[in-house]
């Protein structure tokens, strides 16, 4: 089931992402073995929480939105497996940046 992540709703300022797959071919068309593939630090945002609740009780809205491609840290976050698919949960403050489409 490819839509298993839709059952998961992040709370507060958490973001559910799925890492982008590493390229299996080099720029020259050579198929890369698993040992040569580099870990990708980019992910697609699949779900977001409502936002961070401030001490005053105000909710600070999220800067990212569903569908954004974001840069994530190499380490950190929480790994989550749903129906065999691997996802990661990060706090919004852990997201390094958003990659804008040209």
């Amino acid at each position: 089931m490819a839509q298993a992540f839709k059952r998961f709703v992040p709370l507060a300022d958490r973001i559910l992402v799925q890492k982008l797959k590493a390229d299996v071919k080099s720029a020259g068309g050579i198929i890369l073995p698993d040992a040569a593939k580099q870990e990708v630090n980019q992910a697609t945002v699949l779900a977001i929480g409502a936002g961070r609740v401030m001490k005053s009780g105000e909710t600070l809205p999220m800067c990212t939105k569903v569908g954004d491609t974001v840069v994530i840290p190499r380490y950190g976050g929480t790994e989550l497996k749903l129906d065999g698919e691997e996802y990661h949960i990060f706090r919004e403050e852990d997201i390094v940046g958003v990659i804008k489409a040209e």
Side-chain angles (χ1 to χ4, degrees), residues 20-99:
L20 298 177
K21 306 289 185 216
D23 288 337
V24 294
K25 286 188 179 182
S26 69
I30 299 171
I31 297 176
L32 299 171
D34 288 338
K37 293 179 190 171
Q38 293 183 348
E39 185 176 340
V40 177
N41 67 338
Q42 296 178 9
T44 302
V45 177
L46 301 175
I48 60 172
R52 176 177 291 230
V53 178
M54 307 303 285
K55 289 182 182 181
S56 64
E58 245 181 284
T59 301
L60 188 65
M62 302 288 272
C63 295
T64 57
K65 59 186 179 297
V66 174
D68 280 350
T69 300
V70 295
V71 178
I72 55 175
R74 180 172 290 181
Y75 304 105
T78 303
E79 189 176 307
L80 175 69
K81 284 198 176 188
L82 295 171
D83 292 343
E85 289 286 326
E86 191 174 302
Y87 304 97
H88 296 273
I89 304 165
F90 290 94
R91 288 189 177 273
E92 187 178 43
E93 64 191 24
D94 295 335
I95 301 298
V96 179
V98 177
I99 298 175

